[in-house]
Amino acid sequence: MPGIARWLGVLMLLLGAPRPSLCASMSHTSNWAVLVDASRYWFNYRHAANTLSMYRTVRRLGVPDSNIILMLGDDLACDARNGHPGRVFNNADHSVDLYGDSVEVDYRGYEVTVENFMRVLTGRHDPAVPRSKRLLSDQGSNVLVYITGHGGNEFLKFQDNEELMAQDLADAVAQMHEKGRYREMLFIADTCQASTLFSRFDSPNILTMASSKKDESSYSHHNDRDVGVSVIDRFTYHTLEFLEQVDMRSSVTLQNLFGIYRQDLLRSTFTYQSALFSRPLNRVKVTEFLGSVTVTEPTQEVYPLSNKERLLSSPRLTSAQVPPQN
Amino acid sequence: MGLLSTLRLSRRPTAQQRQKEERRYNELAKAGKPPGTKRLCVILSVVLFVVMGADVVDECNKRNAMKEPRCVPVWWRTTSVFRPTLPIQRIESWAESIAARPLRLPVYLEIWIEGVGTADAFDSVQKCAWDIHNRTLEGMGYKTITQKVFPLGIRIVQCGTLDCKTVASAGDFLPGRSEGPCFNISQSTCDNSSDDALLGSIERAGRAVLGSYVLIVRNGQGSSAPKVCMGKYRHAVAHMVDPWSRGALQSLASIAVDLLVHHWGQGSGPNAEKQGGQLPVSPASQVLMSFSLCNANPNDGYWTWDFDRFEETWLRPVLVSIEAVMNVDVESQVLYHTSTDVKTKYVRVQHAHVVKASALPFFVSSEWQLDSGRTVTSRNDRREINRTHTAHLSSVLSPVVLHWVVFIPPSNRRPMRIVDDTTGHASKTNAFKIPSWGGVLIINPSKAVNESAADRQLHHDLEAVHYWEIAAVFVAQLRGLLGLPETPKATDSVQSLPSEVRGFADWEVDVLLRQRAAADVKACADTLVALARVMQKLPNLEMPNFIGAQVVEALTAGESAVKAAAAGDYALAVLSTRRARRLAEEAFTHPSILTQLNFPDQHKVAIYIPLFLPALVAVAAALTSEVTRFLKRRSVSAAWRNAHRSSAG
């Protein structure tokens, strides 16, 4: 018996021993987030609330504001119909003011266009566009793109005026891939027929999450009788409910997240597309996309610069041999 | 209304006239007269006008007009995607040649040996030169040594009391005069002043140039394992007893290989592209250094700095020395109320509030307004716009921003020290760096002790020692971010002198230049290939014509860089690689390129049917009525002629 127990123990060890992670050595170096609320008007309050909730979450998980591109289709906090001026809520209990402090909206109102969205993704901006409005990611960056609004089969409406086509999105991502503007990308869409928006992707290392499949609508979660409209969508609501349990140091994976989406909660079918993604989902931490962890290296010694007296008496300050600037 | 109707409307006949005309027409038909084709021609030309487009009517009147490519209808032309033809073939072949033989700037080592060797020694010297050459390539990581993978030249010069002559050489890169200069080395100690003194004689010898290094071997007292004194320029001095002996030459070879592989020749290995690609420099070589002085709690005293003076005294010499590698813009700000989320604990042994090193990733809060408010166009860029003729293409690339944070903890948490988790030792620098972001330094200034509560002053200036500390940490961190050791590393055989004023030795700048040149050429090739592939892959991507010209320009610059590198012209090679990369990147990221022409088929139908259907109905109806009329008359007249012929026959 003891022999069997020992062998069992060895077997357990072999099976349960944590395998060395293949991806640990090539982890990402920065995190970026593009959060888009594509619709406008007061009755689309919930889309702005969805986006601001995601904004709040990624900030809480450590993504600095300079790495978040926030596009809000309409300024609902200052809407004449807002009974709580300057505030936006995502729950009827009004526990969290999403518009509280230091929300930096990068693209607002009429600036939220398909063109600007494409420019953000491809990095093709007019020189006058400030840095804070640009996605300055590189081939070490993990990029999160969250889109909400009114969608249809292979399109998403922007501002009730124009459409973002699935092919446009796929083309932009193809160019991002060619230019090395991301390492891995996570797309999240909370719209009707959301999965169709991602149907044209063919670039590697793309993971998509969609609130509904083709010919399905995505629904709002609940109405706020005080605000007068519904304040959040089902898919985003349940996502946030899960993410509230996550903090910067958490090791919760996307597999865990995908497990919470049930038909009876969403009233639509959650779909994800991982065919273009190279890693198993139970190895991908939620914070790899929604959070940001910095790598720091302590400085061991100061450089032995001379003190000021010697600096001023030194014979050679500049090097004459450097080539001129281009 | 169709165009035909418009034509007919110009002189519309009355109903009576038309009836009269029809009657006459029918009578003529019955009289056996065949129909004329004039009317039909007019109608057909109108149809052609509509189908072929207004600008090609003249062409279409000719017989062969249909075959002409100019006969594309106007609407087709206006709705089709416009793009220049890129020299895809040329791009691909150039990229392949770069991949097969990456750009490497040459490295040239000259060894000046004091004293006169015997004839016996000269045999082993030649062997020694090749030994250094091959072992260096091996040490750099090249698998094949036989191929000319990297232009490296070794030359050994005998420096007697009267004349100097080359006694051995190896490698394929040997510029300059073959005769070395006579020189008189007075250096005996390894310090900065003797290093500076030597520079003069090296410069007179014409050897103090980019990529060219001199190892001076003195005959004199020295141990069997000589220590090399490597200065902050491009030369080093070794002392050896009887350097021309066989044993001395062997250890000399080891020293030379060590110097080339670990110091002077860095940035030439097989992975130079990768090293260069990791430098925090934008494609247009722009770097914006943003210095922030962060007062965590200003309510009980805050510090400000005289940044202009600090920049002039400490930063300028450093930034000037790396000017060839990057164009640096500097900006500064003082921030208040920048509290950190990291918890500190007072440790009696350290007499300090301790921050664990493992907590440092969370030290900089995203609430701090470190963001540079600048737009992308920097001072240097604007200068460039004025200078170049391609103003429309300038400055679409954003600079890399490096943040340098000087953090002053609140008074109740001073002094604050960073302590290593495992060893428990306090950090010597109290600073840490964040790769490709910048560095953070915690300083603990103290207020004047004897101030009374009554006239307690809140505002203080940083003292000279703080400026020195900030500058010294900045240089160490910047060197770290650029992939160099933070402080000059001393090995068993090499003692290296720090560049006390500039922070970077001349040869270190050479290393960075080589890495950048290699990385820039590769980036240029990759970007052009990416652009070509994007164009082939996305048929709906529109592109203005000048992008094509820009691509050709980038290619030309890239090709000339390769040529310059082969000729050993550092300055031109560096200029051309940088220009090639900037042009290529600007072509790719130019704001005028945008995919927005993906329309679904339903959309196209919905747009064009309302436009074309009404016009086509009128044109088609007119055409059918005219043709039937023509056919009818022809058959009637033919019938009459048949009847008459048979009656006549």
Coordinates of all heavy atoms in Angstrom, one line a residue, chain A residues 59 114-115 119 124-125 127 131 134 136 168 171 175 178-179 248-249 294-297 299-303 305-306 310-311 316-317 321 324-326, chain B residues 234 313-314 323 327 361-362 367 376 398-399 401 429 431 433-435 468 472 477 486-487 499-501 533 538 578 585 588 590-591 593-594 596 598:
Chain A
R59 N -8.5 51.7 -16.0 CA -7.7 52.6 -15.2 C -7.4 52.0 -13.8 O -6.3 52.1 -13.3 CB -8.4 54.0 -15.0 CG -8.5 54.7 -16.3 CD -7.9 56.1 -16.3 NE -7.0 56.7 -15.3 CZ -7.0 57.9 -15.0 NH1 -7.8 58.8 -15.6 NH2 -6.2 58.4 -14.1
V114 N -16.0 57.2 -38.0 CA -15.3 56.1 -38.5 C -13.8 56.4 -38.9 O -12.9 55.7 -38.6 CB -16.0 55.4 -39.7 CG1 -15.2 54.3 -40.3 CG2 -17.4 55.0 -39.3
E115 N -13.7 57.6 -39.6 CA -12.4 58.0 -40.0 C -11.4 58.1 -38.9 O -10.3 57.6 -38.9 CB -12.5 59.3 -40.8 CG -11.1 59.8 -41.3 CD -11.2 61.1 -42.0 OE1 -12.2 61.4 -42.6 OE2 -10.2 61.8 -41.9
R119 N -8.1 56.1 -38.1 CA -6.8 56.8 -37.9 C -6.1 56.4 -36.6 O -4.9 56.3 -36.6 CB -7.0 58.3 -38.0 CG -7.3 58.9 -39.3 CD -7.2 60.4 -39.4 NE -7.6 60.9 -40.7 CZ -6.9 60.8 -41.8 NH1 -5.7 60.3 -41.7 NH2 -7.4 61.3 -42.9
R124 N -2.4 56.9 -38.5 CA -2.1 57.9 -39.6 C -2.9 59.2 -39.2 O -4.1 59.3 -39.5 CB -2.6 57.4 -40.9 CG -1.8 56.2 -41.4 CD -2.2 55.9 -42.8 NE -1.3 54.8 -43.3 CZ -1.7 53.6 -43.6 NH1 -3.0 53.3 -43.5 NH2 -0.9 52.7 -44.0
H125 N -2.2 60.1 -38.5 CA -2.8 61.3 -38.0 C -2.3 62.5 -38.7 O -1.1 62.5 -39.2 CB -2.6 61.4 -36.5 CG -3.3 60.4 -35.7 ND1 -4.6 60.5 -35.4 CD2 -2.8 59.3 -35.1 CE1 -4.9 59.5 -34.6 NE2 -3.8 58.7 -34.5
P127 N -0.4 65.9 -38.4 CA 0.7 66.3 -37.5 C 0.2 67.0 -36.3 O 0.8 67.0 -35.2 CB 1.6 67.1 -38.3 CG 1.4 66.7 -39.7 CD 0.0 66.3 -39.8
R131 N -0.4 64.0 -28.8 CA 0.0 62.6 -28.5 C -1.1 61.8 -27.7 O -1.3 60.6 -27.9 CB 1.2 62.6 -27.6 CG 2.4 63.1 -28.2 CD 3.5 63.1 -27.1 NE 3.8 61.7 -26.7 CZ 4.6 60.9 -27.3 NH1 5.1 61.2 -28.5 NH2 4.8 59.7 -26.9
R134 N -3.4 59.7 -29.7 CA -2.9 58.7 -30.6 C -2.6 57.3 -29.9 O -2.3 57.3 -28.7 CB -1.5 59.2 -31.1 CG -1.6 60.4 -32.0 CD -0.3 60.9 -32.3 NE -0.3 62.1 -33.2 CZ 0.3 62.2 -34.3 NH1 1.1 61.3 -34.7 NH2 0.2 63.3 -35.0
L136 N -0.1 55.0 -29.6 CA 1.4 54.9 -29.9 C 1.9 53.5 -29.5 O 2.9 53.4 -28.8 CB 2.1 56.0 -29.1 CG 1.7 57.4 -29.5 CD1 2.2 58.4 -28.5 CD2 2.2 57.8 -30.9
D168 N -13.6 47.1 -43.2 CA -12.7 48.3 -42.8 C -11.9 47.9 -41.6 O -10.7 48.2 -41.5 CB -13.6 49.5 -42.4 CG -14.3 50.1 -43.6 OD1 -13.8 49.8 -44.8 OD2 -15.3 50.8 -43.4
D171 N -9.2 45.4 -42.4 CA -8.1 46.0 -43.2 C -7.2 46.8 -42.2 O -6.0 46.8 -42.4 CB -8.7 46.9 -44.2 CG -9.3 46.1 -45.4 OD1 -9.2 44.9 -45.3 OD2 -9.9 46.7 -46.3
Q175 N -3.2 46.2 -41.4 CA -2.1 47.2 -41.6 C -1.4 47.3 -40.3 O -0.2 47.6 -40.2 CB -2.7 48.5 -42.0 CG -3.3 48.5 -43.4 CD -3.7 49.8 -43.9 OE1 -2.8 50.7 -44.0 NE2 -4.9 50.0 -44.1
E178 N 1.0 44.5 -40.2 CA 2.1 44.8 -41.0 C 3.1 45.7 -40.4 O 4.3 45.6 -40.6 CB 1.7 45.3 -42.4 CG 1.0 44.2 -43.3 CD 1.9 43.2 -43.8 OE1 3.1 43.3 -43.6 OE2 1.4 42.2 -44.3
K179 N 2.6 46.8 -39.8 CA 3.5 47.8 -39.2 C 4.0 47.5 -37.8 O 4.8 48.3 -37.3 CB 2.7 49.1 -39.2 CG 3.6 50.4 -39.1 CD 4.5 50.5 -40.3 CE 5.7 51.3 -40.0 NZ 6.7 50.7 -39.2
M248 N -5.0 44.3 -9.9 CA -3.8 44.3 -10.6 C -3.0 43.1 -10.5 O -2.3 42.6 -11.5 CB -2.9 45.5 -10.2 CG -3.2 46.8 -10.7 SD -1.9 48.0 -10.3 CE -2.8 49.4 -10.0
R249 N -3.0 42.5 -9.4 CA -2.1 41.3 -9.1 C -2.9 40.0 -9.4 O -2.3 38.9 -9.2 CB -1.6 41.3 -7.7 CG -0.7 42.5 -7.4 CD -0.5 42.6 -5.9 NE 0.4 43.7 -5.5 CZ 0.0 45.0 -5.4 NH1 -1.3 45.3 -5.6 NH2 0.8 45.9 -5.1
T294 N 3.9 47.3 -14.8 CA 5.2 47.8 -15.3 C 6.3 47.0 -14.9 O 6.3 46.4 -13.8 CB 5.3 49.2 -14.7 OG1 4.0 49.8 -14.6 CG2 6.2 50.1 -15.6
V295 N 7.3 46.9 -15.7 CA 8.6 46.3 -15.3 C 9.5 47.3 -14.8 O 9.7 48.3 -15.5 CB 9.2 45.5 -16.5 CG1 10.5 44.8 -16.1 CG2 8.2 44.6 -17.1
T296 N 10.1 47.2 -13.7 CA 11.0 48.2 -13.2 C 12.4 47.5 -12.9 O 12.5 46.3 -12.6 CB 10.6 48.8 -11.9 OG1 10.4 47.8 -10.9 CG2 9.3 49.6 -12.0
E297 N 13.4 48.3 -13.1 CA 14.8 47.8 -12.9 C 15.5 48.8 -12.0 O 15.6 49.9 -12.3 CB 15.6 47.6 -14.2 CG 15.0 46.5 -15.1 CD 15.5 46.6 -16.5 OE1 16.5 47.4 -16.7 OE2 15.0 45.9 -17.3
T299 N 18.2 51.0 -10.3 CA 19.4 51.6 -10.8 C 20.5 51.3 -9.8 O 20.3 51.6 -8.6 CB 19.3 53.1 -11.0 OG1 18.2 53.3 -11.8 CG2 20.6 53.7 -11.6
Q300 N 21.6 50.6 -10.2 CA 22.5 50.1 -9.2 C 23.5 51.2 -8.7 O 23.7 51.3 -7.5 CB 23.3 49.0 -9.8 CG 22.5 47.7 -10.2 CD 21.8 47.1 -9.0 OE1 22.1 47.3 -7.9 NE2 20.7 46.4 -9.3
E301 N 24.0 51.9 -9.7 CA 25.0 52.9 -9.2 C 24.8 54.2 -10.0 O 24.3 54.2 -11.2 CB 26.4 52.4 -9.5 CG 26.9 51.6 -8.3 CD 28.3 51.1 -8.6 OE1 28.5 50.1 -9.2 OE2 29.3 51.8 -8.2
V302 N 25.2 55.3 -9.5 CA 25.1 56.6 -10.2 C 26.3 56.7 -11.1 O 27.4 56.1 -10.8 CB 25.0 57.8 -9.3 CG1 23.8 57.7 -8.4 CG2 26.3 57.9 -8.5
Y303 N 26.1 57.4 -12.2 CA 27.3 57.5 -13.1 C 28.3 58.5 -12.5 O 27.8 59.6 -12.0 CB 26.8 58.1 -14.5 CG 27.8 57.9 -15.5 CD1 28.0 56.7 -16.2 CD2 28.7 59.0 -15.9 CE1 28.9 56.6 -17.2 CE2 29.6 58.9 -16.8 CZ 29.8 57.7 -17.5 OH 30.7 57.6 -18.5
L305 N 29.7 61.3 -12.7 CA 29.9 62.6 -13.3 C 30.8 63.5 -12.4 O 30.7 63.3 -11.2 CB 28.5 63.3 -13.4 CG 27.6 62.8 -14.6 CD1 26.3 63.7 -14.5 CD2 28.2 62.9 -15.9
S306 N 31.5 64.3 -13.1 CA 32.4 65.2 -12.3 C 31.5 66.3 -11.6 O 30.4 66.5 -12.0 CB 33.4 65.8 -13.2 OG 32.7 66.7 -14.1
R310 N 34.9 71.0 -11.9 CA 35.7 70.3 -13.0 C 35.0 70.4 -14.3 O 35.6 70.4 -15.4 CB 35.9 68.8 -12.6 CG 36.9 68.7 -11.5 CD 37.3 67.3 -11.3 NE 37.9 66.7 -12.5 CZ 38.2 65.4 -12.5 NH1 37.9 64.6 -11.4 NH2 38.7 64.8 -13.6
L311 N 33.7 70.4 -14.2 CA 32.9 70.5 -15.5 C 33.2 71.7 -16.2 O 33.4 71.7 -17.5 CB 31.4 70.5 -15.1 CG 30.5 70.6 -16.3 CD1 30.2 69.2 -16.9 CD2 29.2 71.3 -15.9
R316 N 37.2 69.7 -23.2 CA 36.4 69.3 -24.4 C 35.0 69.1 -23.9 O 34.7 68.2 -23.2 CB 36.9 68.0 -25.0 CG 38.1 68.2 -25.8 CD 38.7 66.9 -26.1 NE 37.7 65.9 -26.6 CZ 37.4 65.8 -27.9 NH1 38.1 66.5 -28.8 NH2 36.5 65.0 -28.3
L317 N 34.1 70.0 -24.3 CA 32.7 69.8 -24.0 C 31.9 69.1 -25.1 O 31.0 68.3 -24.8 CB 32.1 71.2 -23.7 CG 31.9 71.5 -22.2 CD1 31.2 72.8 -22.1 CD2 31.1 70.4 -21.5
Q321 N 33.3 65.4 -34.0 CA 33.3 64.4 -35.1 C 31.9 63.8 -35.3 O 31.8 63.0 -36.2 CB 34.3 63.3 -34.7 CG 35.7 63.7 -34.5 CD 36.2 63.2 -33.2 OE1 35.7 62.3 -32.7 NE2 37.3 63.7 -32.8
P324 N 26.5 65.5 -38.8 CA 25.4 66.4 -38.7 C 24.1 65.7 -38.6 O 24.0 64.6 -39.1 CB 25.5 67.3 -39.9 CG 26.3 66.5 -40.9 CD 27.2 65.6 -40.1
Q325 N 23.1 66.4 -38.1 CA 21.8 65.8 -38.0 C 21.1 65.7 -39.4 O 21.4 66.6 -40.3 CB 20.9 66.7 -37.1 CG 21.4 66.7 -35.7 CD 21.4 65.3 -35.1 OE1 20.4 64.6 -35.1 NE2 22.6 64.8 -34.7
N326 N 20.3 64.7 -39.6 CA 19.6 64.7 -40.8 C 18.3 65.5 -40.7 O 17.9 65.9 -39.7 CB 19.2 63.3 -41.2 CG 18.3 62.7 -40.2 OD1 18.1 63.1 -39.0 ND2 17.6 61.6 -40.5
Chain B
R234 N 38.7 57.0 -28.3 CA 38.7 55.7 -29.1 C 40.1 55.1 -29.0 O 40.6 54.5 -30.0 CB 38.3 56.0 -30.6 CG 36.9 56.6 -30.7 CD 36.5 56.7 -32.2 NE 35.2 57.2 -32.3 CZ 34.9 58.5 -32.3 NH1 35.9 59.4 -32.3 NH2 33.7 58.9 -32.4
T313 N 23.9 73.3 -17.4 CA 25.1 72.7 -16.7 C 25.3 71.2 -16.9 O 26.4 70.7 -17.2 CB 25.1 73.1 -15.2 OG1 24.6 74.4 -15.0 CG2 26.5 72.9 -14.6
W314 N 24.2 70.5 -16.7 CA 24.3 69.1 -16.6 C 23.8 68.3 -17.8 O 24.4 67.3 -18.2 CB 23.6 68.6 -15.4 CG 24.2 69.0 -14.1 CD1 23.8 70.0 -13.2 CD2 25.5 68.6 -13.5 NE1 24.6 70.2 -12.2 CE2 25.7 69.3 -12.3 CE3 26.4 67.6 -13.9 CZ2 26.8 69.1 -11.5 CZ3 27.5 67.5 -13.1 CH2 27.7 68.2 -11.9
E323 N 24.1 63.5 -29.7 CA 23.3 64.1 -30.7 C 23.3 63.3 -32.0 O 22.3 63.3 -32.8 CB 23.9 65.5 -31.0 CG 23.0 66.5 -31.5 CD 23.7 67.9 -31.5 OE1 24.9 67.9 -31.9 OE2 23.1 68.9 -31.3
N327 N 17.9 63.1 -31.8 CA 17.6 64.6 -31.5 C 16.8 64.7 -30.3 O 15.7 64.2 -30.3 CB 16.8 65.2 -32.7 CG 17.5 65.1 -34.0 OD1 18.7 64.8 -34.0 ND2 16.8 65.5 -35.0
P361 N 6.8 48.6 -9.3 CA 5.9 48.7 -10.5 C 4.7 49.6 -10.2 O 4.1 50.1 -11.2 CB 5.6 47.3 -10.8 CG 6.7 46.5 -10.3 CD 7.2 47.2 -9.0
F362 N 4.3 49.7 -9.0 CA 3.0 50.4 -8.7 C 3.4 51.8 -8.1 O 2.5 52.5 -7.6 CB 2.2 49.6 -7.7 CG 2.0 48.2 -8.1 CD1 2.7 47.2 -7.5 CD2 1.1 47.9 -9.2 CE1 2.5 45.9 -7.9 CE2 1.0 46.6 -9.6 CZ 1.7 45.6 -9.0
E367 N -2.4 58.7 -11.9 CA -3.1 60.0 -11.6 C -2.1 61.2 -11.9 O -2.5 62.3 -12.0 CB -3.5 60.1 -10.2 CG -4.5 59.0 -9.8 CD -5.8 59.1 -10.4 OE1 -6.3 60.2 -10.5 OE2 -6.4 58.1 -10.9
V376 N 2.8 66.7 -31.7 CA 3.9 65.9 -32.2 C 5.0 66.8 -32.8 O 6.2 66.4 -32.7 CB 3.3 65.0 -33.3 CG1 4.4 64.3 -34.0 CG2 2.4 64.0 -32.5
S398 N 5.5 60.7 -34.6 CA 5.6 61.3 -33.3 C 6.9 60.9 -32.6 O 7.4 59.8 -32.8 CB 4.4 60.8 -32.4 OG 4.3 59.4 -32.5
P399 N 7.5 61.7 -31.7 CA 8.7 61.4 -31.1 C 8.4 60.4 -29.9 O 7.3 60.3 -29.5 CB 9.2 62.7 -30.5 CG 7.9 63.5 -30.3 CD 7.0 63.1 -31.4
V401 N 8.7 59.6 -26.1 CA 8.8 60.4 -24.9 C 9.5 59.6 -23.8 O 9.0 58.5 -23.5 CB 7.4 60.9 -24.4 CG1 7.6 61.7 -23.2 CG2 6.8 61.8 -25.5
T429 N 21.3 54.1 -5.1 CA 20.9 55.3 -5.8 C 19.5 55.8 -5.5 O 19.2 57.0 -5.7 CB 20.8 54.9 -7.3 OG1 19.9 53.9 -7.4 CG2 22.2 54.5 -7.8
A431 N 16.9 54.9 -6.8 CA 16.2 55.2 -8.1 C 16.0 53.9 -8.9 O 16.6 52.9 -8.6 CB 17.2 56.1 -9.0
K433 N 14.5 52.4 -13.0 CA 14.1 52.8 -14.3 C 13.1 51.8 -14.9 O 12.9 50.7 -14.4 CB 15.3 52.8 -15.3 CG 15.9 51.5 -15.6 CD 17.0 51.6 -16.7 CE 17.4 50.3 -17.3 NZ 18.3 49.6 -16.4
I434 N 12.3 52.4 -15.8 CA 11.2 51.6 -16.4 C 11.5 51.5 -17.9 O 11.6 52.6 -18.6 CB 9.8 52.2 -16.2 CG1 9.6 52.4 -14.7 CG2 8.7 51.4 -16.8 CD1 8.4 53.2 -14.3
P435 N 11.8 50.3 -18.4 CA 12.3 50.2 -19.8 C 11.3 50.9 -20.8 O 10.1 50.8 -20.7 CB 12.3 48.7 -20.1 CG 12.6 48.1 -18.7 CD 11.9 49.0 -17.8
W468 N 23.3 67.5 -8.9 CA 24.3 66.5 -9.3 C 23.7 65.1 -9.3 O 23.9 64.3 -10.2 CB 25.5 66.6 -8.3 CG 26.6 65.6 -8.7 CD1 27.5 65.7 -9.6 CD2 26.7 64.2 -8.1 NE1 28.3 64.5 -9.7 CE2 27.7 63.6 -8.8 CE3 26.0 63.5 -7.1 CZ2 28.1 62.3 -8.5 CZ3 26.3 62.2 -6.8 CH2 27.4 61.6 -7.5
A472 N 23.5 62.6 -12.3 CA 24.2 61.3 -12.3 C 23.3 60.1 -12.5 O 23.6 59.2 -13.2 CB 25.0 61.2 -11.0
Q477 N 20.7 56.0 -15.9 CA 19.4 55.4 -16.4 C 19.3 55.5 -17.9 O 18.9 54.6 -18.5 CB 18.2 56.1 -15.7 CG 18.1 55.8 -14.2 CD 17.0 56.4 -13.5 OE1 16.5 57.5 -14.0 NE2 16.5 55.9 -12.4
E486 N 25.2 50.8 -17.0 CA 24.8 52.0 -16.4 C 26.1 52.8 -16.0 O 26.1 54.0 -16.1 CB 23.9 51.8 -15.2 CG 22.5 51.3 -15.6 CD 21.6 51.1 -14.5 OE1 22.1 51.0 -13.4 OE2 20.4 51.0 -14.8
T487 N 27.1 52.1 -15.5 CA 28.4 52.8 -15.2 C 29.4 52.0 -16.0 O 29.2 50.8 -16.3 CB 28.6 52.7 -13.7 OG1 28.4 51.4 -13.3 CG2 27.8 53.7 -13.0
S499 N 33.4 58.9 -18.7 CA 33.3 60.2 -19.4 C 32.6 61.2 -18.5 O 31.4 61.3 -18.4 CB 32.6 60.1 -20.7 OG 32.5 61.3 -21.4
E500 N 33.5 61.9 -17.7 CA 32.9 62.5 -16.5 C 32.0 63.7 -16.8 O 31.2 64.1 -16.0 CB 34.1 63.1 -15.7 CG 34.8 62.0 -14.9 CD 35.9 62.5 -14.0 OE1 36.5 63.5 -14.4 OE2 36.1 61.9 -13.0
V501 N 32.1 64.3 -18.0 CA 31.3 65.4 -18.4 C 30.1 65.0 -19.2 O 29.0 65.4 -19.0 CB 32.2 66.5 -19.1 CG1 31.3 67.6 -19.5 CG2 33.2 66.9 -18.1
R533 N 3.0 45.0 -49.5 CA 2.1 43.9 -49.2 C 0.7 44.4 -48.9 O -0.3 43.9 -49.3 CB 2.6 43.1 -48.0 CG 2.3 41.6 -48.2 CD 2.9 40.8 -47.1 NE 4.3 41.0 -46.9 CZ 4.9 40.9 -45.7 NH1 4.1 40.7 -44.6 NH2 6.2 41.1 -45.6
L538 N -4.9 44.9 -50.0 CA -6.1 45.7 -49.8 C -6.4 46.5 -51.1 O -5.8 47.5 -51.3 CB -5.9 46.7 -48.7 CG -5.5 46.1 -47.3 CD1 -5.4 47.3 -46.3 CD2 -6.4 45.1 -46.8
R578 N 19.2 56.8 -41.7 CA 18.1 57.5 -41.0 C 17.1 58.1 -41.9 O 15.9 58.1 -41.7 CB 18.8 58.6 -40.2 CG 18.0 58.9 -39.0 CD 18.8 59.8 -38.1 NE 19.9 59.2 -37.5 CZ 20.7 59.8 -36.6 NH1 20.5 61.1 -36.3 NH2 21.7 59.2 -36.1
E585 N 8.9 55.3 -43.2 CA 7.9 55.3 -42.2 C 6.8 56.4 -42.5 O 5.6 56.2 -42.2 CB 8.5 55.6 -40.8 CG 9.5 54.5 -40.4 CD 8.9 53.5 -39.4 OE1 7.7 53.7 -39.0 OE2 9.6 52.5 -39.1
F588 N 4.4 55.2 -45.0 CA 3.5 54.2 -44.5 C 2.4 54.9 -43.7 O 1.2 54.6 -43.8 CB 4.2 53.1 -43.7 CG 3.3 51.9 -43.4 CD1 3.4 50.8 -44.3 CD2 2.4 51.9 -42.4 CE1 2.6 49.7 -44.0 CE2 1.5 50.9 -42.2 CZ 1.7 49.8 -43.0
H590 N 1.4 58.0 -43.6 CA 0.9 59.3 -44.0 C -0.6 59.4 -43.8 O -1.3 58.5 -44.2 CB 1.3 59.6 -45.5 CG 1.2 61.1 -45.8 ND1 0.0 61.6 -46.2 CD2 2.1 62.1 -45.7 CE1 0.2 62.9 -46.3 NE2 1.5 63.2 -46.0
P591 N -1.1 60.5 -43.3 CA -2.5 60.6 -43.0 C -3.4 60.6 -44.2 O -4.6 60.3 -44.1 CB -2.6 61.9 -42.3 CG -1.4 62.7 -42.5 CD -0.3 61.7 -42.7
I593 N -3.4 58.3 -46.4 CA -3.8 57.0 -46.7 C -4.8 56.5 -45.8 O -4.6 56.6 -44.6 CB -2.6 56.0 -46.6 CG1 -1.4 56.6 -47.5 CG2 -2.9 54.6 -47.0 CD1 -0.1 55.8 -47.3
L594 N -5.9 56.1 -46.3 CA -7.0 55.6 -45.4 C -7.9 54.6 -46.1 O -8.3 54.9 -47.2 CB -7.8 56.8 -44.9 CG -8.6 56.7 -43.6 CD1 -7.6 56.5 -42.5 CD2 -9.5 57.9 -43.4
Q596 N -11.2 53.5 -46.7 CA -12.6 53.8 -46.4 C -13.5 53.5 -47.6 O -14.6 54.1 -47.8 CB -12.8 55.3 -46.0 CG -12.6 55.4 -44.5 CD -13.6 56.3 -43.9 OE1 -13.5 57.5 -44.0 NE2 -14.5 55.8 -43.2
N598 N -14.5 50.5 -48.6 CA -15.1 49.1 -48.6 C -16.6 49.3 -48.6 O -17.2 49.5 -47.5 CB -14.7 48.3 -47.4 CG -13.2 48.0 -47.5 OD1 -12.7 47.7 -48.6 ND2 -12.5 48.1 -46.4

